[in-house]
Amino acid sequence: MASYPRWQEWLRRERPRLLVLWGRHDTSFQVAGAEAYRSDVPEAEVYVLDGGHFLLDTRADEVASLVRGFASTGG
């Protein structure tokens, strides 16, 4: 957590293409954490899925589809 401010500054400065996939029922991180990425990278693609912390265990097809779509748009 100590490095979060540096990470956030890098995101604001570099504005990388960013795909954020978040589990709505994640017990480790709140949904607000996903939305916070938009503050640093307004163009980020943020998806909150009906799952927990390990989305690949429960939403693999949906995650794969979103990753394929993101990767295919290049940039």
Side-chain angles (χ1 to χ4, degrees):
M1 292 185 67
S3 57
Y4 278 15
R6 284 183 290 158
W7 166 248
Q8 292 163 325
E9 175 56 33
W10 180 85
L11 286 171
R12 285 189 291 274
R13 184 180 62 247
E14 299 297 325
R15 293 247 160 107
R17 282 188 74 232
L18 183 62
L19 174 65
V20 177
L21 304 177
W22 210 270
R24 180 178 318 285
H25 309 292
D26 189 328
T27 57
S28 299
F29 298 99
Q30 297 178 0
V31 172
E35 296 300 332
Y37 279 97
R38 292 184 210 255
S39 297
D40 297 324
V41 183
E43 304 83 14
E45 292 186 38
V46 178
Y47 298 91
V48 178
L49 307 178
D50 190 25
H53 188 74
F54 298 102
L55 284 173
L56 285 174
D57 288 347
T58 58
R59 310 300 295 184
D61 291 341
E62 191 173 1
V63 168
S65 177
L66 289 166
V67 170
R68 274 194 302 272
F70 182 79
S72 72
T73 60

